[in-house]
Amino acid sequence: MTDTKQAKPPASKSENVIAVFSLLGIGAYLVLRYVVDIGYEIYTLSLSTSLTSAVADIYQGQFSFAVSLLQLPLLAVLVFGGIPLVYQLITKLLHGDFGADLLAGISIVTAVLLDEYLAGSLVVLMLSSGVALESYAVRKASSVLEALANRMPSVAHRKNGEIVADIGTEQVNIGDTLLIFPHELCPVDGTVLEGSGTMDESYLTGEPYMMSKTSGSQVLSGAINGDCALTIRADKLSVDSRYAKIMEVMRSSGQYRPNIRRLGDQLGALYTPLAVSIAVLAWMLSGDVIRFLAVLVIATPCPLLIAIPVTIISSISLAARREIIIKNPAILETISACRTAIFDKTGTLTYGRPSLTELVPCPAYNKHEVLTLIASLERYSKHPLSGAIVKAAEQQNLSLLTVSNIEELPGEGLKGNVAGKPVQITSRKQFIARHSDNTALLPPLSGGLECVVLIDGGYAATLQFRDQVRTDSSSFIHHLRPNHLFEKVMLVSGDRESEVRYLAEKVGIKHVYFSQSPEQKLQLVRDETRLAKTVYLGDGINDAPALNAATIGIAFGQNSDITGESADAVIMDSSLLKVDELFHIGGRMRTIALQSAVGGMLLSVIGMALAGLGYLSPVTGAVTQEIIDVLAVLNALRAAIPPKMLSDY
């Protein structure tokens, strides 16, 4: 995997001070020089009739001395600002770092040797203000995340009987009963116990809808409650809730600089010798050392030093708006180069929840009758399959019946009287053990899960379940090769062969691996990563090692904090559409970074040519370079602006 290195913040306090000091020094020089120049013009035009004899003497014999005194602000800039910057560049040079900013150091030293103090001061200003500009752009690009931070819930209303007490969200414990007043922020993730209403989750999900909430509904921290008070049970601590996780990852992602910065170094390796060559050639052909300085001043590579990291942070901000948390910004460079996609099954290409796919009744019963009876009973069960049965009945608009004498014992299944009829739901294994003479009534064993229904003590039906395939899984898989140039798509799962192959056929994956342990998954991913860059998508704890081993690990973040910690990116909305958006954000980021850096370099090369021919002085070249810098940064900030389409399937 691509490594990331912890980096200092974009702008240190000293660099900001240098930038301000340089600006003030240059401003003082320009103002004083303007005053002296205007005074001299007045003197020459008025023939000293309106000036005192003392002032006339200064302008007649000591004008050059006055101009020399005016250089003092520039000398202060070069001493107090230029020396620290040159020292930093020399330190980097001694450590073998021949970055593009080396040109700036050469320009400062050359300007001092040639007494071109204004040009040297402008380079100091460019170098120091460039870092400050980067910091400002980063803050602007991250404004969405800052807005989230400012909305972080801080108070919860804990309910104990009839007593309601205000506490800090950090004091909320799992299982606490909390009251959310109308229009308040939900303090933690939880489940509605009492009340019904709506919540605005757009800050978290991006969906511009009011989400209905009633008893049993899940609520997210940071969501805005509607007009009705809700009583909820806290399911997570404040620090583990959705909103806090977004903020935690936001802070950690800001502490890292990705290896795409190497893109600037690679471009700088070509740009630096080219700039020096043009400067030396201009000096040799013209014999004017000032042209050498002018070329170096306009060659100062701020588009490389500023535009690329601004593009990265802008892209991270865009991803955050789309419910995609970039934990390792380096993936934005490498994701478009990945050629192998490896998918876990459950919760990734499927929804991670079973659905009733078939109800096979015996001749004595029909499907609707059996489904009505068992759904009436299953609505009182917490079994993972009960929800699928009840949902199937709801989809067919069946009216459920009254139930009594409900009993659910380990190994026995669920029992109860439904409208006077004894109904039992058990497993095939238990049915065979107790009704071995009736096994011929059972349908052939199929893939997936199943249960057996007994009515009035006799066999009535077999229910068959499968993990529900995501509706967009097939279209997503089929667009990976033509749209994102993936050469190999694999399905790797710990499930049984029948289940894995069933899913592979449904979505169109040819490379299938089943019954895989976490260790086997890890080795498989390592082997594939040695052959090509890989993307691994998973959501379970057993996916964590594989997520770490892949070139890029993408986790669906609602099921496991451990998985999220192992991943390079977390899809908070658990949607394949968001994965496709991540692919596009990465490719778009690289494109914009190259546009900004290479475009700025080309404009600088044109400026170097003009300076080499004598059309631009060192001072004019410095101003021109500042304009180029602004254009490069403005283009880099485009990465934070969402395009009309972020997905193509």
Side-chain angles (χ1 to χ4, degrees):
M1 290 180 65
T2 308
D3 294 330
T4 57
K5 297 180 180 179
Q6 200 164 11
K8 67 177 182 178
S12 69
K13 185 176 180 180
S14 62
E15 288 162 333
N16 284 330
V17 170
I18 291 174
V20 173
F21 184 76
S22 301
L23 184 62
L24 292 175
I26 293 171
Y29 166 78
L30 293 176
V31 170
L32 292 173
R33 180 62 186 265
Y34 178 77
V35 171
V36 170
D37 287 347
I38 291 297
Y40 185 70
E41 290 295 329
I42 292 174
Y43 165 73
T44 57
L45 292 174
S46 63
L47 299 176
S48 76
T49 56
S50 62
L51 298 174
T52 65
S53 59
V55 175
D57 290 341
I58 292 176
Y59 283 102
Q60 285 177 329
Q62 302 180 30
F63 181 75
S64 59
F65 175 73
V67 172
S68 298
L69 290 177
L70 294 180
Q71 303 284 345
L72 289 178
L74 301 180
L75 289 171
V77 170
L78 292 169
V79 170
F80 296 107
I83 291 178
L85 293 176
V86 171
Y87 174 77
Q88 292 176 15
L89 296 175
I90 292 174
T91 303
K92 293 171 65 176
L93 189 63
L94 293 176
H95 285 85
D97 186 353
F98 297 92
D101 52 359
L102 180 62
L103 289 173
I106 298 174
S107 300
I108 294 172
V109 173
T110 304
V112 172
L113 293 176
L114 298 178
D115 294 335
E116 290 284 343
Y117 300 138
L118 178 57
S121 298
L122 286 170
V123 174
V124 172
L125 177 62
M126 277 195 296
L127 202 58
S128 56
S129 64
V131 183
L133 180 61
E134 176 187 347
S135 177
Y136 172 76
V138 165
R139 291 195 303 272
K140 292 296 288 183
S142 302
S143 58
V144 173
L145 301 181
E146 290 175 1
L148 287 175
N150 292 333
R151 294 181 68 258
M152 191 71 180
S154 59
V155 176
H157 312 297
R158 184 158 57 194
K159 188 176 180 182
N160 187 3
E162 297 301 319
I163 300 175
V164 177
D166 288 352
I167 59 173
T169 52
E170 70 279 0
Q171 297 176 274
V172 174
N173 297 315
I174 295 175
D176 281 354
T177 300
L178 305 176
L179 185 62
I180 307 175
F181 294 126
H183 311 297
E184 279 194 331
L185 295 176
C186 182
V188 295
D189 294 357
T191 303
V192 177
L193 299 177
E194 298 176 10
S196 60
T198 59
M199 275 193 168
D200 180 1
E201 298 177 352
S202 59
Y203 266 89
L204 300 163
T205 64
E207 297 293 339
Y209 307 115
M210 299 297 289
M211 308 302 292
S212 297
K213 302 295 177 183
T214 188
S215 180
S217 298
Q218 302 299 306
V219 293
L220 302 175
S221 61
I224 303 173
N225 193 19
D227 297 327
C228 301
L230 296 176
T231 302
I232 71 167
R233 180 187 65 244
D235 293 338
K236 290 186 178 181
L237 299 176
S238 173
V239 295
D240 296 325
S241 292
R242 169 79 73 89
Y243 206 92
K245 285 297 181 183
I246 291 176
M247 301 312 307
E248 178 185 330
V249 177
M250 181 202 76
R251 286 190 292 267
S252 64
S253 65
Q255 296 173 357
Y256 291 87
R257 287 275 178 87
N259 280 341
I260 192 171
R261 196 59 187 269
R262 292 177 182 172
L263 174 62
D265 294 336
Q266 293 169 2
L267 294 173
L270 301 174
Y271 181 72
T272 300
L274 174 63
V276 173
S277 299
I278 294 175
V280 172
L281 185 63
W283 183 10
M284 292 176 60
L285 293 179
S286 67
D288 185 0
V289 70
I290 296 299
R291 294 193 185 186
F292 173 82
L293 175 61
V295 171
L296 289 183
V297 168
I298 202 170
T300 303
C302 288
L304 292 180
L305 304 177
I306 304 173
I308 292 177
V310 168
T311 310
I312 294 166
I313 301 299
S314 297
S315 298
I316 291 174
S317 173
L318 175 59
R321 296 192 211 182
R322 307 300 302 169
E323 282 281 295
I324 304 166
I325 304 300
I326 307 295
K327 300 186 66 179
N328 175 8
I331 68 169
L332 293 172
E333 176 190 12
T334 56
I335 197 165
S336 59
C338 291
R339 294 294 172 262
T340 300
I342 306 172
F343 291 87
D344 175 49
K345 171 185 160 292
T346 305
T348 305
L349 293 176
T350 69
Y351 288 108
R353 57 177 182 266
S355 61
L356 180 62
T357 56
E358 190 63 53
L359 193 161
V360 185
C362 71
Y365 296 94
N366 62 58
K367 291 184 178 181
H368 286 286
E369 182 182 4
V370 173
L371 185 56
T372 299
L373 291 170
I374 62 174
S376 300
L377 182 60
E378 286 286 3
R379 62 179 162 167
Y380 298 103
S381 173
K382 296 296 184 181
H383 192 277
L385 297 180
S386 62
I389 295 171
V390 173
K391 183 177 180 181
E394 291 174 349
Q395 290 174 342
Q396 297 186 31
N397 296 318
L398 299 179
S399 298
L400 302 185
L401 307 173
T402 58
V403 181
S404 61
N405 301 326
I406 300 172
E407 195 176 16
E408 190 168 12
L409 300 175
E412 295 288 333
L414 180 64
K415 298 178 182 179
N417 289 327
V418 183
K421 290 185 178 182
V423 177
Q424 181 180 4
I425 304 170
T426 188
S427 66
R428 176 184 284 256
K429 181 179 179 180
Q430 288 293 329
F431 177 79
I432 293 175
R434 300 186 179 213
H435 304 272
S436 57
D437 54 333
N438 289 330
T439 55
L441 297 174
L442 295 172
L445 189 64
S446 64
L449 302 173
E450 67 174 15
C451 60
V452 175
V453 180
L454 286 79
I455 300 176
D456 290 325
Y459 173 78
T462 296
L463 306 180
Q464 297 175 346
F465 304 84
R466 286 190 184 275
D467 191 0
Q468 189 175 353
V469 180
R470 291 183 184 272
T471 55
D472 55 350
S473 289
S474 180
S475 59
F476 179 75
I477 295 299
H478 283 94
H479 103 291
L480 287 176
R481 179 184 292 272
N483 293 64
H484 299 292
L485 306 179
F486 279 92
E487 299 171 357
K488 189 175 185 180
V489 180
M490 304 168 61
L491 179 60
V492 181
S493 175
D495 282 358
R496 302 187 305 273
E497 179 179 3
S498 60
E499 280 293 280
V500 179
R501 291 200 180 279
Y502 168 80
L503 175 63
E505 291 174 4
K506 290 276 287 184
V507 301
I509 296 179
K510 297 180 180 178
H511 302 279
V512 181
Y513 296 84
F514 49 86
S515 302
Q516 297 288 299
S517 67
E519 293 79 10
Q520 289 173 315
K521 284 185 178 182
L522 175 60
Q523 188 58 50
L524 184 63
V525 172
R526 283 175 175 170
D527 293 341
E528 292 297 327
T529 304
R530 279 192 284 267
L531 300 175
K533 286 184 171 64
T534 56
V535 173
Y536 186 94
L537 292 93
D539 81 325
I541 291 177
N542 62 348
D543 293 314
L547 287 165
N548 254 329
T551 307
I552 296 174
I554 302 175
F556 282 179
Q558 294 183 343
N559 294 337
S560 169
D561 293 338
I562 295 176
T563 309
E565 290 298 320
S566 304
D568 299 298
V570 180
I571 308 296
M572 301 299 290
D573 195 29
S574 295
S575 165
L576 291 173
L577 174 65
K578 300 299 182 183
V579 178
D580 192 56
E581 290 181 357
L582 175 58
F583 290 158
H584 285 279
I585 289 172
R588 183 170 176 264
M589 188 280 301
R590 186 175 178 85
T591 298
I592 292 176
L594 286 171
Q595 285 176 353
S596 301
V598 175
M601 287 166 55
L602 290 176
L603 291 175
S604 295
V605 169
I606 294 172
M608 283 187 276
L610 293 174
L613 295 173
Y615 293 111
L616 293 177
S617 67
V619 173
T620 308
V623 174
T624 302
Q625 183 59 50
E626 285 285 12
I627 296 173
I628 294 172
D629 296 345
V630 171
L631 294 175
V633 170
L634 288 176
N635 187 66
L637 286 171
R638 286 196 306 115
I641 302 173
K644 291 182 179 179
M645 292 184 62
L646 260 180
S647 180
D648 56 4
Y649 85 100

